[in-house]
Amino acid sequence: MFVEDLSRFFDTGDFALAATLQGVGTPVNVIFDVMYIEALGVSSTNPVALAKASDVADSDLGKTLTINSVVYTIRDRQPQDDGSIVLLQLSKN
């Protein structure tokens, strides 16, 4: 199995932000985006965050993630590609 070092991808000096995950003592680095979506004539925004799968567990659904002093709730966890990265669907509290 190919094992890659994801730490450069989630370096806060480039694209990532340090976030606080409820119940975790150390920061979790994420790549945050507020995606614009439009469906059936209705437009909205959808906050999402990419994270290393090892930093966020399946049991983290419903927990809060604080990014730039804004609190979000993790609604869904979607593995990407080989599963080493997950897309977190968020809702703003």
Side-chain angles (χ1 to χ4, degrees), residues 2-64:
F2 179 72
V3 178
E4 55 190 297
D5 180 13
L6 298 174
S7 60
R8 289 186 184 202
F9 188 64
F10 289 98
D11 181 8
T12 57
D14 291 320
F15 301 110
L17 300 169
T20 304
L21 179 62
Q22 177 185 2
V24 176
T26 58
V28 175
N29 292 348
V30 300
I31 297 176
F32 178 71
D33 191 18
V34 179
M35 299 170 46
Y36 175 80
I37 55 175
E38 184 175 342
L40 304 172
V42 178
S43 59
S44 183
T45 57
N46 182 44
V48 296
L50 279 174
K52 289 191 283 186
S54 59
D55 289 348
V56 290
D58 291 334
S59 62
D60 288 336
L61 293 179
K63 288 187 177 179
T64 60

